[in-house]
Amino acid sequence: MSNSLQLTNIGELVTANSAGVERYQNSSLCIEDGKISSISDRNGDRVIDCGGKMVTAGFVDSHTHPVFYNKRDEEYRMRLAGATYEEIAEKGGGIISSVEGVRNASKEALVEKVMQRMDRFIAVGTTTIEAKSGYGLNTDSELKSLSVIDEVNQNHPIDMVPTFMGAHAFPKEFSNDHDAYIDLICNEMIPAVTDQGVAIFNDVFCEDKYFTVDQSRRILETGREHGLKPRLHADEFVDSGAAVLAGEINAFSADHLMAVSEIGIRSIVDNDVVATLLPGTTFFLGKSTYAPARKLIDNKVTVALATDFNPGSSHIQSMPFIMTLACMHMEMTVEEAFQSVTYNGAKALGMENEIGSIEVGKKADLILWDLDSLLDIPYYVSDHPIKLVIKNGTIVFQA
Ligand SMILES: [Zn+2]
């Protein structure tokens, strides 16, 4: 049975693809069975008059850590008093401080928390997110985290793309034997994650004091043998050679890259790895070392932007605010930032043929704004004038 919806009187329809941003004036859009069926006038069962306002694709947030129990506002207080991320981690804060909460929480309690977080993502226009485990750091709690993502994904309108991230940090019980934890990930966790059948990607925090290049390579290659696609946290604090590794293993995405080297840039360009930049983390950590977006774009790297939403280093869910940071601190144009939060985010997940732009045959994931132009998205900074969010052709948020 056909189920159609028509959006008429769209003042400006804005969409991005690999070539950049395209704009259509005074257009309309037809949706059938959850997908875009035409960008022109055609009758639908139901008609929405957009009142001359702007319509864009929904945001694709390609890097988030939403499965945690406790907030970490105490660390925020420490940072405001001058402590660095590294100092907080040395005092028992950081990633490890979220582990106890996830291990002790029931699946139901975590589902409730994550459902609420997804409501907020939808309300600020995000229609697809990548979601990582990585606060369990033992087999049971990593599987529990992934099953939380699976359950929320089935019961919430947002689309979640699950990533296994057992290699997020070394849990306390392995602090003196890192190699044994790598063995656990490769010999037990990855096969169990594959048996569970939820995760699509495998991610590693390849960084000084976290996972070395050799350890990361082993984990990502083992994952690939089990059908998990590689992506990695790379060169966030220092150049550890992670971007080079990302190219060598053909990762879908290398993320952060604040300290990426020239040779790292060459490696990701030559192997078509998306660079996912996370300016919210730089901002939230009170740093000024934003990733070199301009240099990456000028070197023909595909740049995606994401929130890195997590309780410690980026308590940010808004992609419009990420666009503001990219435009103000990373020398990105508004059009580049928009392409990076939609089409390029989809590419970072290998989903650019399904989502990320307004094209016939793609999912009808759309935002109707109470705005007239793209420039107004970053310009409004803390205010997100959204009238409607449509996911798979259905209205899922209304102001
Ligand atoms: Zn992250």
Side-chain angles (χ1 to χ4, degrees):
M1 201 172 75
S2 153
N3 175 16
S4 65
L5 177 67
Q6 190 187 16
L7 304 187
T8 61
N9 194 17
I10 301 171
E12 184 158 87
L13 187 149
V14 190
T15 182
N17 55 32
S18 59
V21 166
E22 289 179 349
R23 292 177 162 92
Y24 302 83
Q25 309 300 325
N26 305 316
S27 61
S28 65
L29 198 61
C30 221
I31 299 166
E32 277 174 75
D33 296 325
K35 295 199 169 147
I36 295 161
S37 59
S38 76
I39 304 175
S40 63
D41 275 316
R42 232 161 81 183
N43 291 329
D45 300 337
R46 200 172 155 205
V47 177
I48 295 172
D49 183 338
C50 298
K53 296 296 183 180
M54 176 174 69
V55 169
T56 68
F59 298 120
V60 180
D61 190 344
S62 57
H63 184 137
T64 82
H65 304 258
V67 190
F68 57 91
Y69 192 76
N70 306 89
K71 60 187 172 139
R72 296 196 340 231
D73 50 347
E74 196 49 43
E75 283 176 28
Y76 184 63
R77 188 204 306 278
M78 289 165 76
R79 206 158 49 245
L80 296 181
T84 66
Y85 182 82
E86 294 85 347
E87 285 164 356
I88 289 167
E90 276 159 23
K91 285 183 181 155
I95 294 163
I96 288 302
S97 66
S98 288
V99 171
E100 211 174 323
V102 166
R103 287 185 180 177
N104 293 334
S106 66
K107 181 184 166 187
E108 293 68 32
L110 285 167
V111 165
E112 194 183 325
K113 297 255 184 196
V114 177
M115 286 289 279
Q116 287 166 1
R117 290 170 193 144
M118 294 309 120
D119 289 345
R120 181 67 193 146
F121 275 112
I122 282 280
V124 292
T126 298
T127 45
T128 301
I129 68 161
E130 183 263 7
K132 303 174 201 296
S133 70
Y135 293 120
L137 306 186
N138 63 28
T139 306
D140 286 351
S141 296
E142 286 297 304
L143 292 175
K144 178 171 69 180
S145 300
L146 289 166
S147 76
V148 167
I149 294 169
D150 190 41
E151 183 163 332
V152 175
N153 195 25
Q154 288 179 37
N155 291 290
H156 196 282
I158 204 165
D159 270 339
M160 302 175 83
V161 181
T163 295
F164 165 63
M165 198 175 179
H168 196 192
F170 290 96
K172 279 187 188 137
E173 60 272 24
F174 287 95
S175 57
N176 295 317
D177 194 355
H178 286 184
D179 285 338
Y181 187 58
I182 308 300
D183 286 342
L184 181 74
I185 291 175
C186 292
N187 300 337
E188 185 179 305
M189 286 192 193
I190 287 174
V193 164
T194 308
D195 282 349
Q196 185 191 32
V198 172
I200 293 169
F201 287 99
N202 183 23
D203 195 344
V204 175
F205 197 174
C206 182
E207 186 76 32
D208 187 36
K209 297 196 182 78
Y210 288 86
F211 295 82
T212 67
V213 167
D214 286 343
Q215 290 168 339
S216 301
R217 187 194 304 275
R218 187 178 156 209
I219 292 165
L220 294 172
E221 284 181 349
T222 304
R224 179 150 52 201
E225 284 160 19
H226 285 80
L228 299 174
K229 299 171 180 175
R231 57 194 314 111
L232 64 165
H233 287 58
D235 303 334
E236 177 177 1
F237 302 120
V238 296
D239 168 31
S240 58
V244 174
L245 173 66
E248 285 172 0
I249 60 161
N250 289 103
F252 276 72
S253 177
D255 300 19
H256 282 297
L257 302 176
M258 281 128 82
V260 67
S261 65
E262 295 283 345
I263 181 170
I265 292 175
R266 278 270 64 78
S267 179
I268 55 179
V269 177
D270 291 347
N271 294 286
D272 202 23
V273 178
V274 176
T276 300
L277 307 184
L278 310 165
T281 313
T282 309
F283 173 82
F284 200 74
L285 292 178
K287 297 189 174 189
S288 55
T289 48
Y290 288 91
R294 191 72 261 143
K295 190 172 172 185
L296 290 163
I297 293 169
D298 291 345
N299 276 282
K300 311 279 182 238
V301 176
T302 300
V303 168
L305 289 163
T307 61
D308 193 19
F309 172 64
N310 76 80
S313 62
S314 182
H315 201 232
I316 297 169
Q317 293 185 259
S318 160
M319 293 291 265
F321 181 61
I322 296 299
M323 284 179 69
T324 303
L325 292 178
C327 293
M328 294 186 71
H329 293 292
M330 295 164 81
E331 299 174 64
M332 289 176 75
T333 66
V334 175
E335 286 76 14
E336 285 166 346
F338 178 73
Q339 182 188 30
S340 296
V341 293
T342 54
Y343 184 84
N344 290 354
K347 189 169 180 205
L349 301 176
M351 297 174 75
E352 71 273 24
N353 295 324
E354 296 163 57
I355 56 170
S357 63
I358 301 175
E359 287 177 71
V360 171
K362 281 196 167 181
K363 283 188 182 181
D365 294 357
L366 303 162
I367 305 170
L368 169 59
W369 297 85
D370 193 9
L371 296 174
D372 301 314
S373 76
L374 205 54
L375 177 64
D376 284 350
I377 299 178
Y379 170 71
Y380 272 77
V381 189
S382 63
D383 193 13
H384 306 332
I386 290 174
K387 283 168 165 276
L388 283 182
V389 177
I390 294 173
K391 175 69 197 172
N392 289 328
T394 301
I395 296 170
V396 293
F397 173 80
Q398 200 152 9

